[in-house]
RNA sequence: GCCCGGAUGGCGGAAUGGUAGACGCGGCGGCCUCAAAAGCCGCUGUCCGAAAGGGCGUGCGGGUUCGACUCCCGCUCCGGGCACCA
């Protein structure tokens, strides 16, 4: 047997062996404690890129580590295989989306397997498989039955590039499509929605208890956007039978309302606009309709063209005085009541508008003395010009103002959320069909479960018209109404692919369950996911939808009702940048892992990703990267020679400290590596392994006794196993026999973690001046005495008595001169 | 504008309030070799110094402390999120 390490042969052989022996398969009757480690399932983009490598390496370290710790780790893999790129490729003259997608799945799967990441492949899922489509549709019907799915006409985000509607979440803040970059238009269309808003409060409140990155939780909080305040009605002076209802977070400032505003979309606009104002109002409505969201949301541009007086007035319930009613595009039809009370003195937007239209500004909160005086003051302070609220602070005044509105029967406390219902219909082919038919007699009728799945027809033609090919496929369109048996038209919308990814992690618990979407026993065994790993890019969309779906499925009886949160712990790994930009296929700046697999092997590339920096931080793929990869490869060679090759003692080698010192290092390294893995400190874990390796070399050179070295190498290989699984396995088998990945994870013995003698630092005025070898158990008095006796200290004190001595034995003594 | 992160050698990065720069990359030197590669060993923050040794040093300015990369206050720059949401 050659001592040379044949990377390609060894890696291929162990990968086959893990698969053949089912090392990482788990089953329901597994007696070991169950746990669940999951990487976000990928959109199959073909060959893996470095981002995948990083993601799956991190996940794989945890799977292997926890397996060695004695857990039955559920580690499944699947593909988020519906989605626009496949369809766009077909339109451009490529293959059918199915062929295109499946070819790419095969490619990605090969890369993932080549990496040596281990999965229970029996559980592989693909969103576009008929089986998954069926359960997706069954879930949809259940949500429909419970009113959690509904159809409504709504102003929607239409992307002209993608020729489909987008969820609010898919529109970037600048009003462009997150995928194509086109400017998103507003259109009124009948669409399917999921009632995620029903869970707004729960989704918000439950965030606190999650072990997730704080910034992800913050993003979700912002997205849900809870604001508390009051809602109340104001009668229209000119037409007392009409009233305008407004929402405000600042009912305490009601006395300062000097005008009110309707959104251009508000249904009352037409009714309250007087004849002489009609021209102006009409012009504004036209403008608002024409304007893209970008223009409308921009604070640029002349304000005086963005509002108009309706000619009517409403009565301010606090003062009893009439105030003018305006219509303005800075008020959104889709939030709150679509109308506001305007308080220029305490709201900057209202202030700017009031200035442009010459409306009065009345302060109701006394600003602090140092307040610049220009513009609105939205902070806290004593109320003024506010009748019964005078003198109160904001909180007190709010409570009292709401009380006042309630007593008057015109209003009440109110909470509003920024979160809107989730628009799930897409006018595209390559997605899960929405399983309903439209019957001229019975309306919208769900397809009965016995007829599911509704599958996509294969024989379709993709044309660059932008219209879904389903709309012109006679065979697909033609259906029978399940109620009346008459002719009906099949729904041609498909589901947002985020629907697919909102429950796959639960299906993984038993992906072959044939009776229901979820096997509850299996779901209960593994859920929630203990470690969920993926990119920060999904901080809002996927993670919020998955949280919603987990709850909704529980509540409609498909999932376990008690499991509310899908991901107990979330880890977001940093991005990989190249040339200052995120590495991504769409930017065309990907570095393929394949050349690294060929040159240095999977272990070295894995080690690079683990070692390059903290997993949470972004890393730059730079000129230095290849050199570091080489370094990782070199390190593995060093381990290999130590374990399998010939490393011998060296004449004149310095004393390495003997077997006791080596044993202490074995245990301290074990402790460090274990703790580092738990906190995703993979870079420092690898550093610790390198230190131990260097140390073992020193001990070998210095002829430390073979038993201690043998023990050290064994532990090194065991600790290295999650990081460089192939080399560790091969070296371990050759040297010790047996399979390292089924060994028990080493445990640090605390007895070895304390040394007999340690180096004590002696400082004078906080500066290190000397180091003394002392017994670890040294007391304060003795440490002080030793420090004061130090030549350096004597010299620096120059005969004077120290003013103070701070002793922290056995680590440090600080002498204050 | 608001809310989060971050800033440490030539580079990637380590450091429960207690030896700043672990580990690695790069560089320099030595051993091995006919030679090279590989490997093994050592040095490598900066300034002064032949050396011993000493000064300075974690974005900037203050503060707390015997002692601050670490905690507090005030800035600068970089990255990210949110932003007419009433």
């Amino acid at each position: 047997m050659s001592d040379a390490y044949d990377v390609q042969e060894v890696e291929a052989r162990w990968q086959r062996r893990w698969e053949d022996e089912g090392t990482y398969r788990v089953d329901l009757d597994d007696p070991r404690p169950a746990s669940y480690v999951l990487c976000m399932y990928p959109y199959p983009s073909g060959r893996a890129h470095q981002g995948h490598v990083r993601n799956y390496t991190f996940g794989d370290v945890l799977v292997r580590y926890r397996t060695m710790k004695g857990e039955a780790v559920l580690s499944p893999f699947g593909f988020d295989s519906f989605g626009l790129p496949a369809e766009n490729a077909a339109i451009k003259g490529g293959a059918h989306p199915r062929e295109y997608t499946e070819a790419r799945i095969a490619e990605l799967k090969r890369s993932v397997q080549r990496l040596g990441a281990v999965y229970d492949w029996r559980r592989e899922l693909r969103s576009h498989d008929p089986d998954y489509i069926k359960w997706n549709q069954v879930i949809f019907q259940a949500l429909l039955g419970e009113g959690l799915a509904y159809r409504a006409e709504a102003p929607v985000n239409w992307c002209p590039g993608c020729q489909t509607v987008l969820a609010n979440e898919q529109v970037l803040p600048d009003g462009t499509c997150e995928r194509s970059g086109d400017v998103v238009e507003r259109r009124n269309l009948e669409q399917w929605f999921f009632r995620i808003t029903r869970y707004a409060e729960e989704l918000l409140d439950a965030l606190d208890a999650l072990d997730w990155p704080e910034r992800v939780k913050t993003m979700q909080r912002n997205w849900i956007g809870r604001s508390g305040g009051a809602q109340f009605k104001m009668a229209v002076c000119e037409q007392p039978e009409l009233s305008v209802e407004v929402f405000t977070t600042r009912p305490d400032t009601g006395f300062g309302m000097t005008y009110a505003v309707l959104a251009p979309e508000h249904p009352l606009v037409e009714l309250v606009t007087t004849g002489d104002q009609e021209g102006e109002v009409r012009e504004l409505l036209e403008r608002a309709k024409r304007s893209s969201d970008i223009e409308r949301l921009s604070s640029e541009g002349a304000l005086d063209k963005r509002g108009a007086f309706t000619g009517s007035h409403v009565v301010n319930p606090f003062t009893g005085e009439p105030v003018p009613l305006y219509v303005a595009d800075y008020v959104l039809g889709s939030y709150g009541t679509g109308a506001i009370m305007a308080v220029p003195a305490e709201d900057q937007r209202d202030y700017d508008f009031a200035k442009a239209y010459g409306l009065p500004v009345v302060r109701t909160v006394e600003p602090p003395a140092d307040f610049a005086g220009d513009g609105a003051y939205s902070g806290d302070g004593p109320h003024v010009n506010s009748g019964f609220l005078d003198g109160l602070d904001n909180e007190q005044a709010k409570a009292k103002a709401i009380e006042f509105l309630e007593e008057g029967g015109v209003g009440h406390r109110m909470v509003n959320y920024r979160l809107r219902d989730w628009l799930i219909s897409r006018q595209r082919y390559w997605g899960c069909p929405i399983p309903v038919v439209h019957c001229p007699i019975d309306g919208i009728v769900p397809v009965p479960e016995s007829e599911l799945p509704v599958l996509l027809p294969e024989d379709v033609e993709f044309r660059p018209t932008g219209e879904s090919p389903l709309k012109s496929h006679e065979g697909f369109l033609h259906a029978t109404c399940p109620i009346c048996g008459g002719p009906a038209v099949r729904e041609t919308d498909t589901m947002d692919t985020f629907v697919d990814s909102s429950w796959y992690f639960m299906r993984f618990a038993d992906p072959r369950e044939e009776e229901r979407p979820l096997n509850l026993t299996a779901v209960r065994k593994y859920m929630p996911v203990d470690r969920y790993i993926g990119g920060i890019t999904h901080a809002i969309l996927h993670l919020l939808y998955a949280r919603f779906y987990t709850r909704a499925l529980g509540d409609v009886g498909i999932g376990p009702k008690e499991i509310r949160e899908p991901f107990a712990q979330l880890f977001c790994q940093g991005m990989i940048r190249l040339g200052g930009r995120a590495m991504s296929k769409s930017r065309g700046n990907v570095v393929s892992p394949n050349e690294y697999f060929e040159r240095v092997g999977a272990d070295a590339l894995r080690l690079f990703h683990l070692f390059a920096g903290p997993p949470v931080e972004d890393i730059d793929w730079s000129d230095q990267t290849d050199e570091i990869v080489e370094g990782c490869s070199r390190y593995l060679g060093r381990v290999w020679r130590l374990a399998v090759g010939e490393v011998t003692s060296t004449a004149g080698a310095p004393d390495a400290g003997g077997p006791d010192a080596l044993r202490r290092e074995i245990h301290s390294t074990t402790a460090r590596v274990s703790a580092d893995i738990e906190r995703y400190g993979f870079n420092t874990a690898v550093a610790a392994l390198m230190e131990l390796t260097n140390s073992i070399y020193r001990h070998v050179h210095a002829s430390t006794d073979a038993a201690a070295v043998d023990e050290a190498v064994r532990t090194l290989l065991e600790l290295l196993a999650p990081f460089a699984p192939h080399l560790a396995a091969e070296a371990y088998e050759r040297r010790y026999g047996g399979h390292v990945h089924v060994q028990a994870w080493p445990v640090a013995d605390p007895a070895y973690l304390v040394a007999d003698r340690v180096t004590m630092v002696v400082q004078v005025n906080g500066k290190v001046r000397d180091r003394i070898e002392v017994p670890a158990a040294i007391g304060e008095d003795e440490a002080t005495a030793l420090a004061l006796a130090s030549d350096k200290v004597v010299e620096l004190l120059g005969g004077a008595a120290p003013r103070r001595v701070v002793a922290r034995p056995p680590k440090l003594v600080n002498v204050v001169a």
Side-chain angles (χ1 to χ4, degrees):
Chain A
M1 195 184 290
S2 165
D3 283 349
Y5 185 69
D6 182 343
V7 182
Q8 302 303 332
E9 187 276 325
V10 171
E11 293 192 344
R13 178 154 44 77
W14 278 98
Q15 284 166 13
R16 221 177 305 124
R17 186 160 156 193
W18 294 320
E19 187 56 36
D20 291 349
E21 293 182 2
T23 314
Y24 295 92
R25 288 185 200 160
V26 296
D27 290 294
L28 264 182
D29 56 6
D30 198 308
R32 298 172 292 174
S35 70
Y36 192 175
V37 174
L38 184 65
C39 294
M40 292 178 186
Y41 81 154
Y43 177 79
S45 55
R47 210 184 279 174
H49 56 71
Q50 297 292 348
H52 291 122
V53 171
R54 197 168 160 80
N55 194 179
Y56 305 141
T57 297
F58 294 161
D60 196 52
V61 167
L62 295 182
V63 171
R64 292 178 182 272
Y65 163 74
R66 294 173 80 114
T67 300
M68 289 176 77
K69 295 263 283 186
E71 296 173 12
V73 187
L74 178 63
S75 170
F77 203 91
F79 300 91
D80 186 14
S81 51
F82 272 134
L84 220 36
E87 191 166 344
N88 288 341
I91 292 167
K92 277 195 195 133
H96 185 279
R98 175 182 311 285
E99 289 168 39
Y100 176 90
T101 301
E102 290 181 356
R104 276 151 183 262
I105 287 174
E107 240 185 315
L108 180 53
K109 189 171 169 180
R110 263 197 305 280
S111 307
V112 169
Q113 288 174 322
R114 180 64 191 83
L115 180 65
V118 282
Y119 302 100
D120 186 345
W121 284 105
R122 299 172 305 171
R123 296 173 189 265
E124 180 177 345
L125 276 185
R126 312 187 307 175
S127 316
H128 76 287
D129 280 337
D131 178 56
Y132 200 76
I133 290 173
K134 173 175 176 181
W135 300 121
N136 236 344
Q137 292 173 340
V138 167
I139 291 168
F140 178 91
Q141 310 289 34
L143 296 180
L144 189 62
E146 296 288 325
L148 282 166
Y150 65 95
R151 188 171 159 88
E153 176 164 316
V156 296
N157 308 298
W158 175 263
C159 172
C162 301
Q163 286 285 322
T164 188
V165 302
L166 304 174
N168 286 330
E169 288 84 341
Q170 290 166 321
V171 182
L172 299 178
D174 66 355
T176 59
C177 169
E178 69 159 4
R179 181 165 281 281
S180 71
D182 289 293
V183 174
V184 174
E185 298 167 5
R186 290 246 146 214
R187 287 194 185 181
N188 271 320
L189 292 171
E190 283 262 308
Q191 297 292 326
W192 287 97
F193 292 87
F194 281 163
R195 210 178 292 281
I196 188 172
T197 52
R198 188 181 284 179
Y199 292 89
E201 191 173 358
E202 195 187 333
L203 289 169
L204 184 70
D205 291 344
L207 282 170
D208 293 339
L210 290 181
D211 183 9
W212 283 23
E214 208 46 55
R215 61 186 171 138
V216 175
K217 295 206 272 185
T218 303
M219 281 189 240
Q220 293 216 347
R221 281 190 197 104
N222 289 342
W223 191 263
I224 297 168
R226 180 194 153 101
S227 42
Q231 191 163 310
F232 61 91
K233 283 183 182 160
M234 296 184 287
V236 176
C237 299
E238 290 79 1
Q239 302 175 76
E241 73 279 11
L242 296 180
S243 66
V244 174
E245 184 153 41
V246 298
F247 170 73
T248 178
T249 54
R250 294 293 304 274
D252 59 306
T253 62
F255 282 90
M257 175 196 348
T258 55
Y259 67 104
V261 190
L262 298 174
E265 301 89 344
H266 200 288
L268 280 181
V269 171
E270 223 175 298
L271 302 173
V272 298
T273 302
T274 57
D276 55 329
Q277 291 301 113
E278 216 179 306
E280 216 176 300
V281 169
R282 182 161 314 224
E283 199 180 314
L284 176 88
L285 298 188
E286 282 304 313
R287 253 183 77 85
K289 200 181 274 178
R290 275 201 319 273
S291 302
S292 70
D293 270 20
I294 304 181
E295 287 162 344
R296 190 159 158 195
L297 296 180
S298 164
S299 47
E300 303 296 314
L303 268 175
D304 56 2
K305 295 212 183 100
R306 301 179 59 181
F309 179 43
T310 60
S312 292
H313 296 76
V314 291
V315 180
N316 178 335
F318 293 93
T319 61
E321 299 293 326
V323 296
L325 180 60
Y326 277 71
V327 51
D329 71 356
Y330 80 92
V331 174
L332 306 177
S334 54
Y335 184 78
T337 60
I340 62 158
M341 68 172 206
V343 186
E346 278 88 34
D347 183 291
Q348 191 61 43
R349 294 155 300 179
D350 296 344
Y351 183 89
D352 294 340
F353 190 85
K355 283 290 161 195
Y357 288 83
L359 294 157
V361 178
V362 178
R363 287 223 183 276
T364 59
V365 180
E366 186 74 48
D370 60 353
F371 182 67
D374 195 31
Y377 171 71
S378 57
D380 200 359
H383 279 58
V384 293
N385 302 320
S386 293
F388 61 91
L389 300 177
D390 277 354
L392 301 179
D393 68 19
N394 290 12
E395 274 316 303
Q396 296 164 335
K398 256 178 216 175
K400 198 139 186 199
I402 292 170
E403 212 174 282
F404 168 79
L405 291 169
E406 282 173 348
E407 278 167 10
V410 293
H412 52 88
R413 187 177 297 280
M414 181 74 193
V415 173
N416 260 313
Y417 295 92
R418 210 187 77 111
L419 182 72
R420 308 296 152 80
D421 277 338
W422 174 17
L423 194 164
I424 61 129
S425 41
R426 297 289 180 275
Q427 292 69 49
R428 300 305 304 239
Y429 168 81
W430 193 236
C432 178
I434 291 175
V436 301
V437 298
H438 298 264
C439 169
I441 296 160
D442 299 299
I444 291 169
V445 183
V447 175
E449 184 168 341
S450 58
E451 290 174 29
L452 298 180
V454 174
L455 294 174
L456 295 167
E458 293 286 324
D459 55 331
V460 288
E461 217 181 311
F462 296 93
R463 296 205 200 88
T465 56
E467 184 160 273
S468 166
L470 296 179
K471 283 212 185 283
S472 50
H473 190 285
E474 284 303 319
F476 182 78
L477 282 176
H478 178 77
T480 305
C481 173
I483 296 176
C484 66
V489 178
R490 197 175 294 286
E491 170 69 62
T492 56
D493 282 358
T494 53
M495 296 184 209
D496 182 3
T497 57
F498 279 111
V499 176
D500 310 332
S501 55
S502 288
W503 67 286
Y504 77 102
F505 44 87
M506 290 195 275
R507 180 72 184 165
F508 270 143
D510 182 0
R512 304 294 169 249
E513 163 65 55
E514 286 177 1
E515 304 298 317
R516 297 158 299 174
L518 298 175
N519 172 339
L520 293 187
T521 310
V523 170
R524 285 198 169 96
K525 184 175 170 89
Y526 297 111
M527 288 294 293
V529 177
D530 294 287
R531 297 281 186 276
Y532 195 42
I533 308 172
I536 186 80
T537 42
H538 294 107
I540 300 174
L541 302 177
H542 163 57
L543 292 168
L544 188 64
Y545 294 150
R547 297 180 63 222
F548 156 63
Y549 232 56
T550 301
R551 289 172 165 77
L553 294 197
D555 291 346
V556 301
I558 288 176
K561 196 171 170 68
E562 75 281 7
I563 296 176
R564 308 306 280 175
E565 286 292 339
F567 314 121
Q569 196 212 50
L570 171 72
F571 182 80
C572 294
Q573 89 265 10
M575 287 182 315
I576 298 175
R577 288 183 307 231
L578 182 63
R581 316 204 59 184
M583 196 184 274
S584 80
K585 187 146 185 154
S586 56
R587 291 200 180 83
N589 63 346
V590 294
V591 175
S592 163
N594 288 5
E595 55 181 285
Y596 292 89
F597 290 150
E598 283 162 28
R599 203 168 68 233
V600 293
D603 280 342
L605 184 60
R606 291 167 61 111
L607 209 57
F608 164 77
H609 281 282
L610 293 162
F611 182 62
V616 274
E617 302 290 339
D618 291 351
I619 60 168
D620 284 303
W621 202 268
S622 73
D623 301 343
Q624 206 193 12
T625 298
D626 282 357
E627 287 168 347
I628 299 177
V629 174
E630 284 302 324
C632 290
S633 174
R634 226 165 19 233
Y635 168 71
L636 292 173
R638 220 165 130 74
V639 173
W640 177 256
R641 285 186 297 277
L642 189 60
V644 178
E646 197 69 10
V647 178
T648 54
S649 61
T650 312
D655 179 28
D660 288 350
L662 183 53
R663 287 214 171 81
R664 274 196 298 278
E665 285 179 69
I666 294 170
H667 288 269
S668 67
T669 304
T670 299
R672 282 170 67 187
V673 172
S674 307
D676 284 349
I677 291 176
E678 294 288 352
R679 62 168 189 92
Y680 295 89
F682 302 138
N683 56 328
T684 50
V686 174
L689 293 172
M690 288 173 169
E691 282 181 65
L692 178 60
T693 307
N694 292 342
S695 182
I696 300 173
Y697 264 86
R698 271 193 298 276
H699 278 93
V700 172
H701 292 309
S703 308
T704 297
D705 81 61
V709 169
D710 206 47
E711 202 180 313
V713 172
R714 182 190 287 269
T715 306
L716 173 65
L717 294 176
E718 287 165 350
L719 295 178
L720 182 65
F723 302 92
H726 311 85
L727 180 131
E730 182 70 7
Y732 191 92
E733 188 180 49
R734 290 221 204 172
R735 182 169 176 133
Y736 302 103
H739 188 175
V740 73
H741 292 287
V742 301
Q743 301 303 310
W745 185 252
V747 177
D749 181 345
Y752 281 104
L753 295 179
V754 284
D756 299 342
R757 295 185 68 78
V758 296
T759 303
M760 184 175 79
V761 169
V762 179
Q763 296 181 331
V764 177
N765 292 331
K767 286 188 177 162
V768 180
R769 296 299 179 180
D770 204 0
R771 294 176 174 86
I772 309 175
E773 287 292 312
V774 298
I778 194 169
E780 212 170 291
D781 293 344
E782 207 184 333
T784 303
L786 277 171
L788 290 175
S790 149
D791 290 348
K792 295 292 251 180
V793 174
V794 170
E795 188 190 323
L796 282 159
L797 282 178
R803 286 203 296 145
R804 185 177 169 185
V805 179
V806 181
R808 292 286 178 273
K811 295 206 70 171
L812 166 142
V813 174
N814 187 16
V815 179
V816 186

